[in-house]
Amino acid sequence: QLQASGGGFVQPGGSLRLSCTASGSSFHYYPTAWFRQAPGKEREGVSCISEGGGARVFADSVKGRFTISRDNAKNTVYLQMNSLKPEDTAVYYCAAYYSDHSCLTLTSDFRSWGQGTQVTVSS
């Protein structure tokens, strides 16, 4: 079971760090991605980190502003979001995958999907 946390309200230009934690000791074997969905919009793949952490992908809309990392000892994947914009406002979800390929291409072939956390960027 995955749980996303760390969302909140922030002004444009601000930063937030989201965390995705999982129960169970095998989470560090799973490639993990972040998605977001804003009201009235389709779900968007934001970023993925491979099982070993050596490969990462980012949506064009967040490149250069967001980073993704994992601490397998803590069963946690992080999404560091900097220079936030109002268009980043959405509910953010994390998802675990069976394969690096599916994650790194941000498909919907999830192993598991967690509850989201709201991020609101507004002045």
Side-chain angles (χ1 to χ4, degrees):
Q1 188 72 23
L2 302 181
Q3 177 68 53
S5 62
F9 183 94
V10 64
Q11 292 186 337
S15 298
L16 284 173
R17 187 177 77 161
L18 305 184
S19 298
C20 175
T21 57
S23 58
S25 61
S26 58
F27 182 59
H28 57 280
Y29 293 118
Y30 304 153
T32 304
W34 287 94
F35 287 78
R36 65 186 182 186
Q37 188 161 22
K41 294 188 177 181
E42 292 187 356
R43 184 175 64 203
E44 177 188 19
V46 175
S47 182
C48 162
I49 186 166
S50 63
E51 170 193 329
R56 297 166 174 85
V57 294
F58 297 92
D60 288 343
S61 57
V62 306
K63 279 181 182 176
R65 300 188 297 121
F66 290 12
T67 59
I68 190 170
S69 61
R70 66 190 308 151
D71 184 340
N72 287 337
K74 296 182 179 179
N75 273 358
T76 302
V77 171
Y78 302 100
L79 184 70
Q80 178 67 44
M81 307 186 297
N82 299 326
S83 303
L84 283 162
K85 304 175 181 180
E87 51 263 44
D88 294 317
T89 295
V91 178
Y92 284 71
Y93 302 87
C94 57
Y97 287 81
Y98 291 101
S99 75
D100 281 344
H101 176 74
S102 294
C103 183
L104 293 170
T105 51
L106 294 171
T107 70
S108 298
D109 188 19
F110 311 127
R111 176 188 182 99
S112 57
W113 174 264
Q115 291 184 324
T117 185
Q118 175 70 46
V119 171
T120 302
V121 185
S122 175
S123 56

